[in-house]
Amino acid sequence: SAAPAGSAAPPSPEVAEGPAADAKEGVLDGVPWTLVGSRDADPDAENPLTYRERSYAVPAGTPPLQAEALARARTAAYVTALASKPPGKFINVAIFDHVWSERPHRPPLVTAQMKDWVGELHVERTEPPPAPAAPEQLSPASLPDPRPKRTTNEQDQRLVGAFEACQDLFFLEAPRDALEFASRLFADLLPTERFAASLYDIDTDQLHLTVARGPDAEARRGRAFPLQGLLGEAARAGGAALRIEDAGRDARYVPEVDGSPPPGPGLLLSLAYKGRLLGVLTLYDRAGGGQFTQNDTDLGLYVAEQLAAFLDEKRVMLTR
């Protein structure tokens, strides 16, 4: 496949002059930064893109606005450095609040992405965890559930794992590859007895089940389904999540669409980009039992957002 052609040169983020793109350390507005990770890829027979990924560390407690300013500045440095390269450039910058070697301990404070065929800088900040509530005097009836719960640190590790893994999405070639990738990622980070990934066909207004695992996977894989049942409800969610306590007992459940035998607890994720439906992910019957949690939902939404962005980009590249 060919790199995107005819892209206008993207505008550089508005930042002051700073160190060159290949600098390993520096100071911006009094905040010292250090390069802790990098990955490059140049166009070849398999990959049409010029890709630069950089991870930087700043001191713990750095204000989010200063971390964002650094992300913008480092991205701008690479926009300048790659100006002579042909269209098809992707720059991915992450700012962490700690130095790490093999893998980060927490998600980045800020990520910044510049794709020249999009032509605008996309910046995201990680929301800080809520402050712990003040201790309360609990009566015996209101004592916490003694069953083990997923800690914030465990959730952070899952988000870190998702963040790292999703960087590889961009090197995949086909939508099916991305859906297979999502299946493996969820099997590792949020194991379930059933998983299905469907792509939306706007011409027929149907969802085509492309990747599936579980009791009825073989019978359903490759089929097209109308936007009915819980699947249809998720498709209309516009990039949101649909969390189900017991699908088989839900009034919206349609066996021919949602699967049989009836699944139990479910997490359905709409794949949508800028309001356009691209597909749906369904996860049913959490491994080990129990309901899907808000942490599970947050993890699922992050992966779904990255997957939707990939699917939209591939569609744009194919139509150029």
Side-chain angles (χ1 to χ4, degrees), residues 256-272:
E256 295 78 11
V257 173
D258 296 314
S260 182
L267 179 63
L268 291 82
L269 303 160
S270 169
L271 301 176

Side-chain angles (χ1 to χ4, degrees), residues 3-273:
S7 302
S12 296
E14 295 180 4
V15 295
E17 280 296 318
D22 58 358
K24 302 294 190 295
E25 59 185 15
V27 178
L28 180 68
D29 294 335
V31 176
W33 54 264
T34 305
L35 178 69
V36 292
S38 63
R39 184 168 54 171
D40 295 353
D42 290 306
D44 57 27
E46 300 296 327
N47 168 46
L49 304 169
T50 299
Y51 179 73
R52 297 293 183 267
E53 177 184 314
R54 296 294 183 269
S55 297
Y56 300 96
V58 295
T62 297
L65 280 175
Q66 288 183 284
E68 180 177 332
L70 176 59
R72 291 177 178 273
R74 299 313 298 148
T75 305
Y78 277 95
V79 168
T80 300
L82 300 176
S84 62
K85 298 284 187 180
K89 292 172 284 193
F90 179 22
I91 302 164
N92 192 17
V93 170
I95 310 298
F96 292 83
D97 66 354
H98 60 286
V99 175
W100 43 271
S101 53
E102 293 184 2
R103 60 181 295 172
H105 310 303
R106 296 181 293 280
L109 298 174
V110 178
T111 59
Q113 292 185 342
M114 173 67 85
K115 303 161 187 174
D116 66 350
W117 60 96
V118 174
E120 61 185 32
L121 182 67
H122 179 70
V123 179
E124 285 190 1
R125 293 191 210 165
T126 301
E127 292 295 327
E136 299 179 8
Q137 295 295 322
L138 300 176
S139 64
S142 62
L143 287 174
D145 188 335
R147 292 174 295 180
K149 294 181 173 61
R150 182 174 293 277
T151 65
T152 300
N153 184 60
E154 289 174 316
Q155 172 67 355
D156 285 348
Q157 288 302 316
R158 290 201 300 173
L159 288 171
V160 166
F163 169 79
E164 288 187 315
C166 285
Q167 306 312 302
D168 292 332
L169 261 176
F170 201 77
F171 294 100
L172 301 178
E173 287 297 313
R176 182 187 179 87
D177 296 336
L179 299 185
E180 293 279 9
F181 169 91
S183 177
R184 294 191 299 270
L185 183 59
F186 279 116
D188 180 43
L189 299 177
L190 182 54
T192 57
E193 299 299 326
R194 307 185 192 203
F195 174 87
S198 304
L199 291 173
Y200 177 63
D201 183 344
I202 192 172
D203 294 327
T204 63
D205 196 29
Q206 291 180 315
L207 286 161
H208 291 257
L209 201 157
T210 307
V211 174
R213 52 178 165 78
D216 56 352
E218 291 300 322
R220 289 165 53 79
R221 190 183 296 115
R223 293 180 56 193
F225 296 95
L227 303 190
Q228 298 176 0
L230 294 169
L231 188 67
E233 191 79 11
R236 291 184 287 271
L242 185 63
R243 204 160 67 194
I244 307 297
E245 290 188 3
D246 187 344
R249 295 178 179 273
D250 194 293
R252 298 167 292 183
Y253 167 68
V254 175
E256 295 78 11
V257 173
D258 296 314
S260 182
L267 179 63
L268 291 82
L269 303 160
S270 169
L271 301 176
Y273 190 80

